[in-house]
Amino acid sequence: MKNQPYLDLSPEVKNALQHGQPVVALESTIISHGMPFPDNVETALRVERAVRESGAVPATIAIIGGRLKAGLSEAEIEHLGRAGQEVVKTSRRDIPFILAKNSTGATTVAATMIIAEMAGIRIFATGGIGGVHRGAAETMDISADLPELARTSVAVVCAGAKSILDIGLTLEYLETHGVPVIGFQTDEFPAFYTRRSSFGVNYRLDTPEDIAKVLKIKWEAGLQGGVVIANPIPEAHEPMLAPIQRATEMALAEALRLGIRGKETTPFLLSKIKELTGGESLRANIELVLNNARLAAKIAVAMSFQQSSIVIRKS
Ligand code: PSU
Ligand code: MN
């Protein structure tokens, strides 16, 4: 690892990376802005356990007291969960400001990818990625997660993109920027709460080993940039489509009426949908994150078997 003046690895994460053991990065905006307390803390800890049970070391990522952290203590996770929206939702642009103030930030997919890459962690599990929002032709609301996927060499395991987004335009953006979208055991890109979206993936791969092989080749060949690994929510936990769709439409209308904009949009929609579905969306969200953590760990394990030295060439 290059000298990283702002980064602290937990002793466990540091040790695992030094010995080429599998490590999975986890984000923290999902803790402070994506779920209510105490489900958020409980889920974050369960996700860490799921990664361990699948043979990898979890590295939850955040900014704490002006330091970039890969690997948090339980107390730090609990703090992020209790503080909730009071913690700054931190994406690429925000990082230097949070560091300058010795402040604390919950990292989005984009910011988590940046810190994971610095640490040398290649696999990252989350719930859903940000994307092109519906109505983006007018609002230009495109998540900073997308340009990050274009430039940063980390693979993100997710359950697709939520239907609060324009899934078609999100996939077009990824295509333009050369970000491969892999479907794990599926030909169809999943829509987060639901297994189907009617949009296809670029490549279907059916085992963690096949995915690990492609990732290794991509980065060894010097092809920088991220990869989306789309992992549908397990059938047993897929909620009924109609109530989710109704809640999504109502939440979008409410956001428009209240003039919700910018970084507030995604957290607002998530909490509104949860309220409107009586918690059904939250239950599904928890299950799909656990499912993604397990797959990410298996891919990380397969990668550690294949090669202990994946060198990312920087131009
Ligand atoms: N999707 C979810 N839960 C989340 C997020 C997205 O289902 O918590 C969070 C992630 O941290 C993601 C961020 O990176 O929202 C995207 O925010 P925005 O749309 O403002 O870029
Ligand atoms: Mn946005």
CSV table of all heavy atoms in Angstrom, one decimal, residues 50-88:
chain,number,residue,atom,x,y,z
A,50,ALA,N,-22.1,-11.7,8.7
A,50,ALA,CA,-22.3,-12.5,7.5
A,50,ALA,C,-21.0,-12.6,6.6
A,50,ALA,O,-20.7,-13.6,6.1
A,50,ALA,CB,-23.4,-11.9,6.7
A,51,VAL,N,-20.3,-11.5,6.6
A,51,VAL,CA,-19.0,-11.5,5.9
A,51,VAL,C,-18.0,-12.5,6.5
A,51,VAL,O,-17.4,-13.3,5.8
A,51,VAL,CB,-18.4,-10.1,5.8
A,51,VAL,CG1,-16.9,-10.1,5.3
A,51,VAL,CG2,-19.2,-9.2,4.9
A,52,ARG,N,-18.0,-12.4,7.8
A,52,ARG,CA,-17.0,-13.4,8.5
A,52,ARG,C,-17.5,-14.8,8.3
A,52,ARG,O,-16.6,-15.7,8.1
A,52,ARG,CB,-17.1,-13.1,10.1
A,52,ARG,CG,-16.4,-11.9,10.5
A,52,ARG,CD,-16.4,-11.7,12.0
A,52,ARG,NE,-16.2,-10.3,12.4
A,52,ARG,CZ,-15.0,-9.7,12.2
A,52,ARG,NH1,-13.9,-10.3,11.8
A,52,ARG,NH2,-14.9,-8.4,12.6
A,53,GLU,N,-18.8,-15.1,8.4
A,53,GLU,CA,-19.2,-16.5,8.3
A,53,GLU,C,-18.9,-17.0,6.9
A,53,GLU,O,-18.9,-18.2,6.7
A,53,GLU,CB,-20.7,-16.6,8.6
A,53,GLU,CG,-21.0,-16.5,10.1
A,53,GLU,CD,-22.4,-16.2,10.5
A,53,GLU,OE1,-23.3,-16.2,9.6
A,53,GLU,OE2,-22.7,-15.9,11.7
A,54,SER,N,-18.8,-16.1,5.9
A,54,SER,CA,-18.5,-16.5,4.6
A,54,SER,C,-17.0,-16.5,4.3
A,54,SER,O,-16.5,-16.6,3.2
A,54,SER,CB,-19.2,-15.7,3.6
A,54,SER,OG,-20.6,-15.8,3.8
A,55,GLY,N,-16.2,-16.3,5.3
A,55,GLY,CA,-14.7,-16.5,5.2
A,55,GLY,C,-13.9,-15.2,4.9
A,55,GLY,O,-12.7,-15.3,4.6
A,56,ALA,N,-14.5,-14.0,5.0
A,56,ALA,CA,-13.7,-12.8,4.8
A,56,ALA,C,-13.8,-11.9,6.0
A,56,ALA,O,-14.5,-12.1,6.9
A,56,ALA,CB,-14.3,-12.1,3.5
A,57,VAL,N,-12.9,-10.9,6.0
A,57,VAL,CA,-12.8,-9.9,7.0
A,57,VAL,C,-13.6,-8.7,6.6
A,57,VAL,O,-13.4,-8.1,5.5
A,57,VAL,CB,-11.4,-9.5,7.3
A,57,VAL,CG1,-11.3,-8.3,8.3
A,57,VAL,CG2,-10.6,-10.7,7.9
A,58,PRO,N,-14.6,-8.2,7.4
A,58,PRO,CA,-15.4,-7.0,7.0
A,58,PRO,C,-14.6,-5.7,7.3
A,58,PRO,O,-13.9,-5.7,8.4
A,58,PRO,CB,-16.6,-7.1,7.9
A,58,PRO,CG,-16.2,-7.9,9.1
A,58,PRO,CD,-15.1,-8.8,8.7
A,59,ALA,N,-14.7,-4.8,6.4
A,59,ALA,CA,-14.1,-3.4,6.7
A,59,ALA,C,-15.1,-2.4,6.4
A,59,ALA,O,-15.3,-1.9,5.3
A,59,ALA,CB,-12.9,-3.2,5.7
A,60,THR,N,-15.8,-2.0,7.5
A,60,THR,CA,-16.8,-1.0,7.3
A,60,THR,C,-16.1,0.3,7.3
A,60,THR,O,-15.1,0.6,8.0
A,60,THR,CB,-17.8,-1.0,8.5
A,60,THR,OG1,-18.5,-2.3,8.5
A,60,THR,CG2,-18.9,0.1,8.3
A,61,ILE,N,-16.5,1.2,6.3
A,61,ILE,CA,-15.7,2.4,6.0
A,61,ILE,C,-16.5,3.6,6.3
A,61,ILE,O,-17.7,3.7,6.1
A,61,ILE,CB,-15.3,2.3,4.5
A,61,ILE,CG1,-14.2,1.3,4.3
A,61,ILE,CG2,-14.8,3.7,4.0
A,61,ILE,CD1,-13.7,1.0,2.9
A,62,ALA,N,-15.8,4.6,6.9
A,62,ALA,CA,-16.4,5.9,7.3
A,62,ALA,C,-15.3,6.9,7.5
A,62,ALA,O,-14.1,6.5,7.5
A,62,ALA,CB,-17.2,5.8,8.6
A,63,ILE,N,-15.6,8.1,7.8
A,63,ILE,CA,-14.6,9.1,8.3
A,63,ILE,C,-15.0,9.4,9.7
A,63,ILE,O,-16.1,9.8,10.1
A,63,ILE,CB,-14.7,10.4,7.5
A,63,ILE,CG1,-14.5,10.1,6.0
A,63,ILE,CG2,-13.6,11.4,8.0
A,63,ILE,CD1,-14.5,11.3,5.1
A,64,ILE,N,-14.0,9.2,10.6
A,64,ILE,CA,-14.3,9.4,12.1
A,64,ILE,C,-13.2,10.4,12.6
A,64,ILE,O,-12.0,10.1,12.5
A,64,ILE,CB,-14.1,8.0,12.8
A,64,ILE,CG1,-15.0,6.9,12.2
A,64,ILE,CG2,-14.4,8.3,14.3
A,64,ILE,CD1,-16.4,6.9,12.6
A,65,GLY,N,-13.7,11.5,13.2
A,65,GLY,CA,-12.8,12.4,13.8
A,65,GLY,C,-11.6,12.8,12.8
A,65,GLY,O,-10.5,13.0,13.2
A,66,GLY,N,-12.0,13.1,11.6
A,66,GLY,CA,-11.0,13.6,10.6
A,66,GLY,C,-10.1,12.6,10.1
A,66,GLY,O,-9.1,12.9,9.4
A,67,ARG,N,-10.3,11.3,10.3
A,67,ARG,CA,-9.5,10.2,9.7
A,67,ARG,C,-10.4,9.3,8.8
A,67,ARG,O,-11.5,8.9,9.2
A,67,ARG,CB,-8.9,9.3,10.8
A,67,ARG,CG,-8.0,10.1,11.8
A,67,ARG,CD,-6.7,10.6,11.2
A,67,ARG,NE,-5.9,9.5,10.6
A,67,ARG,CZ,-4.8,9.6,9.9
A,67,ARG,NH1,-4.4,10.8,9.6
A,67,ARG,NH2,-4.1,8.6,9.5
A,68,LEU,N,-9.8,8.9,7.7
A,68,LEU,CA,-10.5,7.9,6.8
A,68,LEU,C,-10.2,6.6,7.5
A,68,LEU,O,-9.1,6.2,7.8
A,68,LEU,CB,-9.8,7.9,5.4
A,68,LEU,CG,-9.7,9.2,4.7
A,68,LEU,CD1,-9.0,9.0,3.3
A,68,LEU,CD2,-11.1,9.8,4.4
A,69,LYS,N,-11.3,5.8,7.7
A,69,LYS,CA,-11.2,4.5,8.4
A,69,LYS,C,-11.7,3.4,7.6
A,69,LYS,O,-12.8,3.4,7.0
A,69,LYS,CB,-12.1,4.6,9.7
A,69,LYS,CG,-11.7,5.7,10.7
A,69,LYS,CD,-10.8,5.1,11.7
A,69,LYS,CE,-10.5,6.2,12.8
A,69,LYS,NZ,-9.4,5.9,13.6
A,70,ALA,N,-10.9,2.3,7.6
A,70,ALA,CA,-11.3,1.0,7.0
A,70,ALA,C,-11.3,0.0,8.1
A,70,ALA,O,-10.2,-0.4,8.6
A,70,ALA,CB,-10.5,0.6,5.8
A,71,GLY,N,-12.5,-0.4,8.6
A,71,GLY,CA,-12.5,-1.2,9.8
A,71,GLY,C,-13.0,-0.4,11.0
A,71,GLY,O,-12.2,0.4,11.5
A,72,LEU,N,-14.2,-0.5,11.4
A,72,LEU,CA,-14.7,0.3,12.5
A,72,LEU,C,-15.0,-0.6,13.7
A,72,LEU,O,-15.2,-1.8,13.6
A,72,LEU,CB,-16.1,0.9,12.1
A,72,LEU,CG,-16.1,1.9,10.9
A,72,LEU,CD1,-17.5,2.5,10.9
A,72,LEU,CD2,-15.0,3.0,11.1
A,73,SER,N,-14.9,0.0,14.9
A,73,SER,CA,-15.3,-0.7,16.1
A,73,SER,C,-16.8,-0.7,16.2
A,73,SER,O,-17.5,0.1,15.5
A,73,SER,CB,-14.7,0.0,17.3
A,73,SER,OG,-15.3,1.3,17.5
A,74,GLU,N,-17.3,-1.6,17.1
A,74,GLU,CA,-18.8,-1.6,17.3
A,74,GLU,C,-19.3,-0.3,17.8
A,74,GLU,O,-20.3,0.2,17.4
A,74,GLU,CB,-19.1,-2.7,18.3
A,74,GLU,CG,-19.8,-3.9,17.7
A,74,GLU,CD,-20.3,-4.9,18.7
A,74,GLU,OE1,-21.2,-4.6,19.5
A,74,GLU,OE2,-19.7,-6.0,18.7
A,75,ALA,N,-18.5,0.3,18.6
A,75,ALA,CA,-18.9,1.6,19.2
A,75,ALA,C,-19.0,2.7,18.1
A,75,ALA,O,-19.8,3.5,18.1
A,75,ALA,CB,-17.9,2.1,20.3
A,76,GLU,N,-18.0,2.6,17.1
A,76,GLU,CA,-18.1,3.6,16.0
A,76,GLU,C,-19.3,3.4,15.2
A,76,GLU,O,-20.0,4.3,14.7
A,76,GLU,CB,-16.8,3.5,15.2
A,76,GLU,CG,-15.6,4.1,16.0
A,76,GLU,CD,-14.2,3.8,15.3
A,76,GLU,OE1,-14.1,2.7,14.7
A,76,GLU,OE2,-13.3,4.6,15.5
A,77,ILE,N,-19.6,2.1,14.9
A,77,ILE,CA,-20.8,1.8,14.1
A,77,ILE,C,-22.1,2.3,14.9
A,77,ILE,O,-23.0,2.9,14.3
A,77,ILE,CB,-20.9,0.3,13.8
A,77,ILE,CG1,-19.8,-0.1,12.8
A,77,ILE,CG2,-22.3,-0.2,13.3
A,77,ILE,CD1,-19.7,-1.6,12.5
A,78,GLU,N,-22.1,2.0,16.2
A,78,GLU,CA,-23.2,2.4,17.0
A,78,GLU,C,-23.4,4.0,16.9
A,78,GLU,O,-24.5,4.5,16.8
A,78,GLU,CB,-23.1,1.9,18.4
A,78,GLU,CG,-24.0,2.6,19.4
A,78,GLU,CD,-24.8,1.6,20.2
A,78,GLU,OE1,-24.5,0.4,20.1
A,78,GLU,OE2,-25.8,2.1,20.8
A,79,HIS,N,-22.3,4.7,17.0
A,79,HIS,CA,-22.3,6.1,16.9
A,79,HIS,C,-22.9,6.6,15.6
A,79,HIS,O,-23.8,7.5,15.6
A,79,HIS,CB,-20.9,6.7,17.1
A,79,HIS,CG,-20.8,8.2,16.8
A,79,HIS,ND1,-21.5,9.1,17.6
A,79,HIS,CD2,-20.3,8.9,15.8
A,79,HIS,CE1,-21.3,10.3,17.1
A,79,HIS,NE2,-20.6,10.2,16.0
A,80,LEU,N,-22.5,6.0,14.5
A,80,LEU,CA,-23.0,6.5,13.2
A,80,LEU,C,-24.5,6.2,13.1
A,80,LEU,O,-25.2,7.0,12.6
A,80,LEU,CB,-22.3,5.7,12.1
A,80,LEU,CG,-20.8,6.0,11.8
A,80,LEU,CD1,-20.2,5.1,10.9
A,80,LEU,CD2,-20.7,7.5,11.3
A,81,GLY,N,-24.9,5.1,13.7
A,81,GLY,CA,-26.3,4.7,13.6
A,81,GLY,C,-27.2,5.6,14.5
A,81,GLY,O,-28.3,6.0,14.1
A,82,ARG,N,-26.7,5.9,15.7
A,82,ARG,CA,-27.5,6.8,16.6
A,82,ARG,C,-27.5,8.2,16.1
A,82,ARG,O,-28.6,8.9,16.2
A,82,ARG,CB,-26.8,6.8,18.0
A,82,ARG,CG,-27.2,5.7,18.9
A,82,ARG,CD,-26.6,5.9,20.3
A,82,ARG,NE,-26.9,4.7,21.1
A,82,ARG,CZ,-28.0,4.5,21.7
A,82,ARG,NH1,-29.0,5.4,21.7
A,82,ARG,NH2,-28.2,3.4,22.4
A,83,ALA,N,-26.4,8.7,15.6
A,83,ALA,CA,-26.4,10.1,15.1
A,83,ALA,C,-27.2,10.3,13.8
A,83,ALA,O,-27.8,11.4,13.6
A,83,ALA,CB,-24.9,10.5,14.9
A,84,GLY,N,-27.3,9.2,13.0
A,84,GLY,CA,-28.2,9.3,11.9
A,84,GLY,C,-27.9,10.5,11.0
A,84,GLY,O,-26.8,10.7,10.6
A,85,GLN,N,-28.9,11.2,10.6
A,85,GLN,CA,-28.8,12.3,9.7
A,85,GLN,C,-27.9,13.4,10.2
A,85,GLN,O,-27.5,14.3,9.4
A,85,GLN,CB,-30.2,12.9,9.4
A,85,GLN,CG,-31.3,11.9,9.1
A,85,GLN,CD,-31.4,11.6,7.6
A,85,GLN,OE1,-31.0,12.3,6.7
A,85,GLN,NE2,-32.0,10.4,7.3
A,86,GLU,N,-27.6,13.4,11.4
A,86,GLU,CA,-26.6,14.5,11.9
A,86,GLU,C,-25.2,14.3,11.4
A,86,GLU,O,-24.4,15.2,11.4
A,86,GLU,CB,-26.6,14.5,13.5
A,86,GLU,CG,-27.8,15.2,14.0
A,86,GLU,CD,-28.1,14.8,15.5
A,86,GLU,OE1,-27.1,14.6,16.2
A,86,GLU,OE2,-29.3,14.8,15.8
A,87,VAL,N,-24.9,13.0,11.0
A,87,VAL,CA,-23.6,12.8,10.4
A,87,VAL,C,-23.7,13.2,9.0
A,87,VAL,O,-24.7,13.0,8.3
A,87,VAL,CB,-23.3,11.3,10.5
A,87,VAL,CG1,-21.9,11.0,9.8
A,87,VAL,CG2,-23.3,10.8,11.9
A,88,VAL,N,-22.6,13.8,8.5
A,88,VAL,CA,-22.7,14.3,7.1
A,88,VAL,C,-22.6,13.1,6.1
A,88,VAL,O,-21.7,12.3,6.2
A,88,VAL,CB,-21.5,15.3,6.8
A,88,VAL,CG1,-21.5,15.8,5.4
A,88,VAL,CG2,-21.5,16.4,7.8
